[in-house]
Amino acid sequence: MAPAAIISEVFYVIIGIIFILVGVKALKDPNAQKKGTTVAFWFILAFTFICGYWLPKWLTGLAIVAMAVITGIKGVVQSASDVPDPKVVRERADAIGYKIFIPSLVLALGAVLLTTLGAKIPAMNWMNGNNSICVSAVFGMIAVLALTKAAPKYAVTDGTRLMDNVGPTGILPQLLTALGSLFTAAGVGQVIAGGVAKVVPEGNKLIACAIYCIAMAVFTIIMGNGFAAFSVITVGIGIPFLIAQGANPVVVGALGLTAGYCGTLCTPMAANFNIMPAALLEVKNKYSIIKSQVPVAICLLCIHIVLMYVFAF
Amino acid sequence: MEIVKLIGVVIVVIGFALKFDTIATVVLAGLVTGLVAGMTPLEILNTLGTTFVSGRSSTLFVLTLPVIGICERYGLKEKAIDFIRSIKNASTGGVILIYQAIRTLSAAFSLRLGGHAQFVRPVVVPMAEGAAISKYGELSDAMSDEIRGASAGAENYGNFFAQNCFMGSSGTLLIVNTLVEQGHDVTVAQIAKWSVPIAVISVLAGAVRCLLIDKKLAKMADAERSDK
C-alpha cells in the first residue's frame, strides 16, 4: 500500500468514527424517533468506511442495499442536537471578533498550500489533493480550538450536529459513481447513443453542434455525471457528426464537457452540487439551488452551441 | 432487446420525478440494470461495493464539519453579518458576484478556495443574507431560499466552467484521453486554452443573474410588506 493510500485510509476511519458518533447521538436521545433504523444506518455506513477496503467488496455492496432499504422506508430521522444559544453566540462573536474567520481560512488556504508543497517536494508526494483536504482539516481544528478555547468535546458535538443536518444525502455522490459503473458494465451508453445517431440529419453543421451539446447536457442530467456523458456522447455523436465532418477536435472537446456541465446545473442526480448543499445550507425547498441555476444553464448552453459552430469550423 | 437495458435510466427518472427516496431509487436502478444485463447478484454487489469504497473521497467534506460547527458556535455567522453591514454599498447580488469571480479565478488556478461546506455556508450565505437583512429587515423563507440558491449557484458556476482552464484538472485530462484514444491528437495546453472563453462568459452571465436577483428580492420584500 502506498503512503498516500495509507493516510487516506486513516482519514476514512476518522470519517467512519464521526458516522458512529451520529448514531450514538441518536442512541442517547430519549426522544429520538425511529431510533433502531437510524442507529443501524449510521453504523452500517461507518462499517463501509472503516472496513470496506479490507473486506470482500460484495459485503459493502450488501451494506449499500441495507442502507437503501432503511432510507427507502424513511427510517433515518435527525436526533436532538446541542444547538448553541443565539445570545451566547452573539456575546462570543463580540469577544472574538473577525479572528473567527481564521479557522475557515486555514481549511481553505491550508489545502492549497499543502497540495502545492506535495507537488513540489518529492518527500511529500503523498500529499495529493484529497490528503491535503484531510490534513488542512486537522490544522483547522487546531486553529479553532486554540482560538476559541472551546473544550475539544465540541468537535464531536458540532461535527455530529452538522453531519446529522446533512443526513443520508451526504453519501449520494458516492452512490452515483457506483450506479455509473453498473450502467457502464451493462452497456447503457451504447444503446442511447445508437438511438440518437439514427435521427441526426447528416450535413447540417449547426444542427450537429446543437445535438451534440444538448445530448451532453441531457445525458448529464440523466446520469448526474458529466464525465460519463462525455465519453459516451463524444464517441457516439461528437466524433462521427462533428469531428469527422471537419470540426476542430480541440474546440469540440473543450466545449463538449462544459456543455455537459450546463446539464449538471439542472439535475438532482448531481447531488453533491445541487442536493447535498441544499441540505447543508438548510433551504426550505431542496430544489432551490437547481431552480436558481436553470435559467443560467439554458443561456450558457445556447452560447456553447454558437461558440462551437463559430470556432470549430 | 437492447432497449430493455434502459430500465435503470427510467427508474432513476421516475424515482427522482416522483420524489421517492433518492438513495433507494439509485440503488434499485443499479440492481435492476445489472440483473437485466445478465450480471449475477454477486457480480452486482461486487461492482457496487468496489466503486463505493474507491469513491469514499467524495465524502471527505465530513472532516471539515467539526471545524465549521465550532466556528458557528463562536459567532462566525454573526461576524459575517457585522462585516457586510460595515460595507454599506455591497448588495446581495454584489456579494454573490464577487464570490463567483473569486471562485472562478481559484478554479482556473486549481486552488481549492471554495466549496459548499467550507465557504458558501460559513461565509457567502451569511454575507449575502446580511446585505439583504440590512436593506429589507427580516427575510421571508422564500427570500432566504432565493439567496441561498443563488449563492450555491455562484459556487457551481465558478467551479464547473473554470476548472478546465487548469492543465492538470481531471476534466481536461479526460477530454484529452478520450480524443487521443479515438485518434485525434490534442494536448492539455490546447484544451485548457479553449476552456478560457466559456469561463469568462460564465462570469458575465453571473453578473446579469446577480442584477436580476437584487431586483427580484426588492419585489419580494415589497410583496411581504403589502401583505402585512
Side-chain angles (χ1 to χ4, degrees), chain A residues 211-260:
Chain A
I211 287 180
Y212 174 60
C213 289
I214 293 169
M216 272 301 303
V218 169
F219 234 74
T220 306
I221 286 172
I222 293 171
M223 312 258 290
N225 186 329
F227 284 9
F230 184 80
S231 16
V232 174
I233 298 298
T234 301
V235 174
I237 299 174
I239 291 173
F241 292 92
L242 286 166
I243 296 174
Q245 312 296 320
N248 179 345
V250 173
V251 179
V252 171
L255 289 172
L257 187 56
T258 46

Short mmCIF file of all heavy atoms in Angstrom, two decimals, chain A residues 211-260:
data_model
loop_
_atom_site.label_atom_id
_atom_site.label_comp_id
_atom_site.label_asym_id
_atom_site.label_seq_id
_atom_site.Cartn_x
_atom_site.Cartn_y
_atom_site.Cartn_z
N ILE A 211 -27.15 19.32 -31.48
CA ILE A 211 -27.49 17.98 -30.97
C ILE A 211 -26.41 17.46 -30.04
O ILE A 211 -26.70 16.89 -28.98
CB ILE A 211 -27.74 17.01 -32.15
CG1 ILE A 211 -29.09 17.37 -32.79
CG2 ILE A 211 -27.74 15.55 -31.68
CD1 ILE A 211 -29.48 16.52 -33.94
N TYR A 212 -25.15 17.69 -30.38
CA TYR A 212 -24.05 17.23 -29.52
C TYR A 212 -24.12 17.92 -28.16
O TYR A 212 -24.07 17.26 -27.12
CB TYR A 212 -22.71 17.50 -30.20
CG TYR A 212 -21.50 17.20 -29.34
CD1 TYR A 212 -21.27 15.90 -28.86
CD2 TYR A 212 -20.58 18.19 -29.00
CE1 TYR A 212 -20.17 15.63 -28.07
CE2 TYR A 212 -19.47 17.92 -28.22
CZ TYR A 212 -19.27 16.64 -27.75
OH TYR A 212 -18.17 16.37 -26.96
N CYS A 213 -24.23 19.25 -28.16
CA CYS A 213 -24.25 19.99 -26.88
C CYS A 213 -25.48 19.62 -26.05
O CYS A 213 -25.38 19.41 -24.84
CB CYS A 213 -24.24 21.50 -27.13
SG CYS A 213 -22.65 22.09 -27.76
N ILE A 214 -26.64 19.54 -26.70
CA ILE A 214 -27.86 19.23 -25.96
C ILE A 214 -27.80 17.79 -25.43
O ILE A 214 -28.19 17.51 -24.30
CB ILE A 214 -29.11 19.47 -26.84
CG1 ILE A 214 -29.26 20.97 -27.13
CG2 ILE A 214 -30.37 18.93 -26.16
CD1 ILE A 214 -30.29 21.30 -28.19
N ALA A 215 -27.27 16.87 -26.26
CA ALA A 215 -27.15 15.48 -25.81
C ALA A 215 -26.22 15.39 -24.61
O ALA A 215 -26.49 14.65 -23.65
CB ALA A 215 -26.63 14.60 -26.95
N MET A 216 -25.12 16.16 -24.63
CA MET A 216 -24.21 16.19 -23.48
C MET A 216 -24.97 16.62 -22.22
O MET A 216 -24.85 16.03 -21.16
CB MET A 216 -23.05 17.16 -23.73
CG MET A 216 -21.82 16.59 -24.41
SD MET A 216 -21.04 15.23 -23.54
CE MET A 216 -20.69 15.98 -21.95
N ALA A 217 -25.75 17.71 -22.36
CA ALA A 217 -26.49 18.24 -21.22
C ALA A 217 -27.55 17.24 -20.74
O ALA A 217 -27.66 16.96 -19.54
CB ALA A 217 -27.13 19.58 -21.58
N VAL A 218 -28.31 16.67 -21.69
CA VAL A 218 -29.40 15.77 -21.32
C VAL A 218 -28.84 14.50 -20.66
O VAL A 218 -29.35 14.02 -19.64
CB VAL A 218 -30.26 15.41 -22.55
CG1 VAL A 218 -31.22 14.27 -22.24
CG2 VAL A 218 -31.04 16.63 -23.03
N PHE A 219 -27.78 13.96 -21.25
CA PHE A 219 -27.18 12.75 -20.69
C PHE A 219 -26.64 13.01 -19.29
O PHE A 219 -26.72 12.17 -18.41
CB PHE A 219 -26.06 12.24 -21.61
CG PHE A 219 -26.24 10.82 -22.01
CD1 PHE A 219 -27.21 10.48 -22.94
CD2 PHE A 219 -25.47 9.82 -21.44
CE1 PHE A 219 -27.39 9.17 -23.30
CE2 PHE A 219 -25.66 8.49 -21.80
CZ PHE A 219 -26.62 8.16 -22.73
N THR A 220 -26.07 14.21 -19.12
CA THR A 220 -25.54 14.56 -17.79
C THR A 220 -26.69 14.71 -16.80
O THR A 220 -26.57 14.33 -15.64
CB THR A 220 -24.72 15.86 -17.87
OG1 THR A 220 -23.72 15.71 -18.88
CG2 THR A 220 -24.05 16.16 -16.55
N ILE A 221 -27.81 15.26 -17.29
CA ILE A 221 -28.98 15.39 -16.41
C ILE A 221 -29.43 14.01 -15.94
O ILE A 221 -29.73 13.81 -14.76
CB ILE A 221 -30.12 16.13 -17.15
CG1 ILE A 221 -29.78 17.61 -17.26
CG2 ILE A 221 -31.46 15.91 -16.45
CD1 ILE A 221 -30.73 18.42 -18.12
N ILE A 222 -29.45 13.05 -16.87
CA ILE A 222 -29.91 11.70 -16.51
C ILE A 222 -28.91 11.00 -15.59
O ILE A 222 -29.29 10.41 -14.58
CB ILE A 222 -30.13 10.85 -17.79
CG1 ILE A 222 -31.29 11.42 -18.60
CG2 ILE A 222 -30.39 9.39 -17.43
CD1 ILE A 222 -31.45 10.80 -19.97
N MET A 223 -27.62 11.09 -15.94
CA MET A 223 -26.62 10.34 -15.19
C MET A 223 -26.10 11.13 -13.98
O MET A 223 -25.54 10.55 -13.07
CB MET A 223 -25.42 10.01 -16.07
CG MET A 223 -25.78 9.43 -17.41
SD MET A 223 -25.56 7.66 -17.48
CE MET A 223 -23.79 7.53 -17.44
N GLY A 224 -26.23 12.45 -14.03
CA GLY A 224 -25.70 13.28 -12.95
C GLY A 224 -24.19 13.39 -12.99
O GLY A 224 -23.57 13.85 -12.05
N ASN A 225 -23.60 12.96 -14.11
CA ASN A 225 -22.14 12.88 -14.18
C ASN A 225 -21.67 13.28 -15.58
O ASN A 225 -21.87 12.55 -16.54
CB ASN A 225 -21.72 11.44 -13.85
CG ASN A 225 -20.22 11.29 -13.76
OD1 ASN A 225 -19.47 12.00 -14.44
ND2 ASN A 225 -19.78 10.38 -12.94
N GLY A 226 -21.08 14.46 -15.69
CA GLY A 226 -20.63 14.97 -16.98
C GLY A 226 -19.53 14.12 -17.59
O GLY A 226 -19.45 13.98 -18.81
N PHE A 227 -18.68 13.54 -16.76
CA PHE A 227 -17.58 12.71 -17.25
C PHE A 227 -18.11 11.49 -18.00
O PHE A 227 -17.66 11.17 -19.09
CB PHE A 227 -16.69 12.26 -16.10
CG PHE A 227 -15.77 13.33 -15.58
CD1 PHE A 227 -15.88 14.65 -16.00
CD2 PHE A 227 -14.77 13.02 -14.66
CE1 PHE A 227 -15.04 15.64 -15.52
CE2 PHE A 227 -13.91 14.00 -14.18
CZ PHE A 227 -14.05 15.31 -14.60
N ALA A 228 -19.08 10.80 -17.38
CA ALA A 228 -19.65 9.60 -18.01
C ALA A 228 -20.31 9.98 -19.33
O ALA A 228 -20.15 9.29 -20.34
CB ALA A 228 -20.66 8.94 -17.08
N ALA A 229 -21.04 11.11 -19.32
CA ALA A 229 -21.72 11.55 -20.53
C ALA A 229 -20.70 11.87 -21.62
O ALA A 229 -20.90 11.53 -22.79
CB ALA A 229 -22.57 12.78 -20.24
N PHE A 230 -19.57 12.49 -21.25
CA PHE A 230 -18.59 12.91 -22.26
C PHE A 230 -18.04 11.73 -23.04
O PHE A 230 -18.00 11.75 -24.27
CB PHE A 230 -17.44 13.68 -21.60
CG PHE A 230 -16.45 14.21 -22.60
CD1 PHE A 230 -16.71 15.38 -23.29
CD2 PHE A 230 -15.27 13.53 -22.87
CE1 PHE A 230 -15.81 15.88 -24.23
CE2 PHE A 230 -14.37 14.01 -23.81
CZ PHE A 230 -14.64 15.18 -24.49
N SER A 231 -17.65 10.67 -22.33
CA SER A 231 -17.07 9.54 -23.07
C SER A 231 -18.09 8.91 -24.00
O SER A 231 -17.77 8.54 -25.12
CB SER A 231 -16.46 8.50 -22.12
OG SER A 231 -16.90 8.69 -20.82
N VAL A 232 -19.34 8.79 -23.55
CA VAL A 232 -20.37 8.15 -24.38
C VAL A 232 -20.77 9.04 -25.56
O VAL A 232 -20.77 8.61 -26.71
CB VAL A 232 -21.62 7.84 -23.51
CG1 VAL A 232 -22.75 7.32 -24.38
CG2 VAL A 232 -21.27 6.84 -22.43
N ILE A 233 -21.11 10.30 -25.28
CA ILE A 233 -21.68 11.18 -26.31
C ILE A 233 -20.62 11.65 -27.31
O ILE A 233 -20.92 11.84 -28.49
CB ILE A 233 -22.39 12.39 -25.65
CG1 ILE A 233 -23.54 11.90 -24.78
CG2 ILE A 233 -22.91 13.36 -26.69
CD1 ILE A 233 -24.63 11.17 -25.53
N THR A 234 -19.38 11.83 -26.86
CA THR A 234 -18.34 12.26 -27.79
C THR A 234 -18.04 11.15 -28.79
O THR A 234 -17.91 11.40 -30.00
CB THR A 234 -17.07 12.69 -27.04
OG1 THR A 234 -17.42 13.74 -26.15
CG2 THR A 234 -15.99 13.18 -27.98
N VAL A 235 -17.96 9.92 -28.30
CA VAL A 235 -17.72 8.79 -29.20
C VAL A 235 -18.95 8.53 -30.07
O VAL A 235 -18.84 8.27 -31.26
CB VAL A 235 -17.32 7.53 -28.39
CG1 VAL A 235 -17.21 6.32 -29.30
CG2 VAL A 235 -16.00 7.78 -27.67
N GLY A 236 -20.14 8.65 -29.49
CA GLY A 236 -21.37 8.33 -30.22
C GLY A 236 -21.82 9.42 -31.18
O GLY A 236 -22.38 9.14 -32.24
N ILE A 237 -21.61 10.70 -30.82
CA ILE A 237 -22.13 11.80 -31.63
C ILE A 237 -21.03 12.78 -32.05
O ILE A 237 -20.91 13.12 -33.23
CB ILE A 237 -23.24 12.58 -30.86
CG1 ILE A 237 -24.41 11.64 -30.54
CG2 ILE A 237 -23.73 13.77 -31.70
CD1 ILE A 237 -25.47 12.27 -29.67
N GLY A 238 -20.21 13.22 -31.09
CA GLY A 238 -19.22 14.27 -31.37
C GLY A 238 -18.26 13.90 -32.48
O GLY A 238 -18.02 14.69 -33.40
N ILE A 239 -17.70 12.71 -32.45
CA ILE A 239 -16.72 12.32 -33.46
C ILE A 239 -17.36 12.05 -34.82
O ILE A 239 -16.99 12.68 -35.81
CB ILE A 239 -15.84 11.16 -32.95
CG1 ILE A 239 -14.94 11.70 -31.82
CG2 ILE A 239 -14.99 10.57 -34.09
CD1 ILE A 239 -14.13 10.65 -31.11
N PRO A 240 -18.39 11.17 -34.91
CA PRO A 240 -18.97 10.93 -36.24
C PRO A 240 -19.66 12.15 -36.85
O PRO A 240 -19.58 12.36 -38.06
CB PRO A 240 -19.96 9.78 -36.02
CG PRO A 240 -20.20 9.75 -34.56
CD PRO A 240 -18.96 10.26 -33.91
N PHE A 241 -20.34 12.94 -36.05
CA PHE A 241 -21.17 14.00 -36.64
C PHE A 241 -20.50 15.37 -36.67
O PHE A 241 -20.98 16.27 -37.32
CB PHE A 241 -22.51 14.09 -35.91
CG PHE A 241 -23.36 12.88 -36.16
CD1 PHE A 241 -23.31 11.79 -35.29
CD2 PHE A 241 -24.18 12.82 -37.28
CE1 PHE A 241 -24.07 10.67 -35.53
CE2 PHE A 241 -24.95 11.69 -37.52
CZ PHE A 241 -24.89 10.60 -36.64
N LEU A 242 -19.39 15.56 -35.90
CA LEU A 242 -18.71 16.86 -35.93
C LEU A 242 -17.26 16.73 -36.41
O LEU A 242 -16.90 17.25 -37.45
CB LEU A 242 -18.73 17.50 -34.53
CG LEU A 242 -20.08 18.07 -34.09
CD1 LEU A 242 -20.08 18.36 -32.60
CD2 LEU A 242 -20.40 19.34 -34.87
N ILE A 243 -16.43 15.99 -35.66
CA ILE A 243 -15.01 15.94 -35.97
C ILE A 243 -14.78 15.29 -37.34
O ILE A 243 -13.97 15.77 -38.14
CB ILE A 243 -14.24 15.21 -34.84
CG1 ILE A 243 -14.36 16.03 -33.55
CG2 ILE A 243 -12.77 15.04 -35.22
CD1 ILE A 243 -13.79 15.37 -32.32
N ALA A 244 -15.52 14.23 -37.66
CA ALA A 244 -15.37 13.58 -38.97
C ALA A 244 -15.83 14.51 -40.10
O ALA A 244 -15.47 14.31 -41.26
CB ALA A 244 -16.16 12.27 -39.00
N GLN A 245 -16.64 15.52 -39.78
CA GLN A 245 -17.10 16.49 -40.79
C GLN A 245 -16.16 17.70 -40.87
O GLN A 245 -16.51 18.71 -41.46
CB GLN A 245 -18.52 16.99 -40.48
CG GLN A 245 -19.53 15.91 -40.16
CD GLN A 245 -19.77 14.98 -41.34
OE1 GLN A 245 -19.82 15.43 -42.48
NE2 GLN A 245 -19.87 13.69 -41.07
N GLY A 246 -14.99 17.63 -40.19
CA GLY A 246 -14.00 18.71 -40.30
C GLY A 246 -13.93 19.65 -39.12
O GLY A 246 -13.21 20.64 -39.15
N ALA A 247 -14.70 19.38 -38.04
CA ALA A 247 -14.65 20.27 -36.88
C ALA A 247 -13.32 20.08 -36.15
O ALA A 247 -12.74 19.00 -36.15
CB ALA A 247 -15.80 19.96 -35.93
N ASN A 248 -12.83 21.18 -35.51
CA ASN A 248 -11.59 21.13 -34.75
C ASN A 248 -11.82 20.34 -33.46
O ASN A 248 -12.64 20.74 -32.63
CB ASN A 248 -11.15 22.57 -34.45
CG ASN A 248 -9.87 22.63 -33.64
OD1 ASN A 248 -9.43 21.64 -33.07
ND2 ASN A 248 -9.27 23.80 -33.61
N PRO A 249 -11.11 19.21 -33.26
CA PRO A 249 -11.36 18.38 -32.07
C PRO A 249 -11.09 19.11 -30.76
O PRO A 249 -11.73 18.81 -29.75
CB PRO A 249 -10.40 17.19 -32.25
CG PRO A 249 -9.44 17.59 -33.31
CD PRO A 249 -10.10 18.63 -34.15
N VAL A 250 -10.16 20.09 -30.76
CA VAL A 250 -9.86 20.82 -29.52
C VAL A 250 -11.09 21.60 -29.06
O VAL A 250 -11.50 21.54 -27.89
CB VAL A 250 -8.67 21.78 -29.74
CG1 VAL A 250 -8.46 22.66 -28.51
CG2 VAL A 250 -7.40 21.00 -30.06
N VAL A 251 -11.71 22.31 -30.02
CA VAL A 251 -12.88 23.13 -29.68
C VAL A 251 -14.05 22.23 -29.27
O VAL A 251 -14.74 22.48 -28.27
CB VAL A 251 -13.27 24.04 -30.87
CG1 VAL A 251 -14.50 24.86 -30.53
CG2 VAL A 251 -12.10 24.94 -31.24
N VAL A 252 -14.28 21.16 -30.05
CA VAL A 252 -15.39 20.25 -29.75
C VAL A 252 -15.20 19.64 -28.36
O VAL A 252 -16.13 19.61 -27.55
CB VAL A 252 -15.48 19.14 -30.82
CG1 VAL A 252 -16.48 18.07 -30.41
CG2 VAL A 252 -15.89 19.74 -32.16
N GLY A 253 -13.99 19.19 -28.04
CA GLY A 253 -13.73 18.56 -26.75
C GLY A 253 -13.89 19.52 -25.58
O GLY A 253 -14.60 19.23 -24.62
N ALA A 254 -13.23 20.70 -25.71
CA ALA A 254 -13.26 21.65 -24.60
C ALA A 254 -14.67 22.13 -24.31
O ALA A 254 -15.11 22.16 -23.15
CB ALA A 254 -12.35 22.85 -24.91
N LEU A 255 -15.43 22.48 -25.37
CA LEU A 255 -16.79 22.97 -25.15
C LEU A 255 -17.76 21.84 -24.85
O LEU A 255 -18.79 22.05 -24.20
CB LEU A 255 -17.26 23.77 -26.37
CG LEU A 255 -16.57 25.13 -26.55
CD1 LEU A 255 -16.97 25.75 -27.88
CD2 LEU A 255 -16.93 26.08 -25.41
N GLY A 256 -17.44 20.63 -25.32
CA GLY A 256 -18.34 19.49 -25.09
C GLY A 256 -18.53 19.20 -23.61
O GLY A 256 -19.66 19.05 -23.14
N LEU A 257 -17.43 19.15 -22.87
CA LEU A 257 -17.54 18.81 -21.45
C LEU A 257 -18.28 19.90 -20.67
O LEU A 257 -19.15 19.61 -19.84
CB LEU A 257 -16.16 18.56 -20.84
CG LEU A 257 -16.16 18.04 -19.40
CD1 LEU A 257 -16.98 16.76 -19.28
CD2 LEU A 257 -14.74 17.79 -18.90
N THR A 258 -17.97 21.18 -20.96
CA THR A 258 -18.66 22.23 -20.22
C THR A 258 -20.13 22.34 -20.64
O THR A 258 -20.98 22.77 -19.85
CB THR A 258 -17.95 23.60 -20.33
OG1 THR A 258 -17.60 23.85 -21.68
CG2 THR A 258 -16.69 23.64 -19.47
N ALA A 259 -20.46 21.93 -21.87
CA ALA A 259 -21.88 21.86 -22.26
C ALA A 259 -22.59 20.84 -21.36
O ALA A 259 -23.73 21.05 -20.94
CB ALA A 259 -22.02 21.47 -23.74
N GLY A 260 -21.88 19.76 -21.07
CA GLY A 260 -22.43 18.77 -20.14
C GLY A 260 -22.67 19.37 -18.77
O GLY A 260 -23.66 19.07 -18.11
#
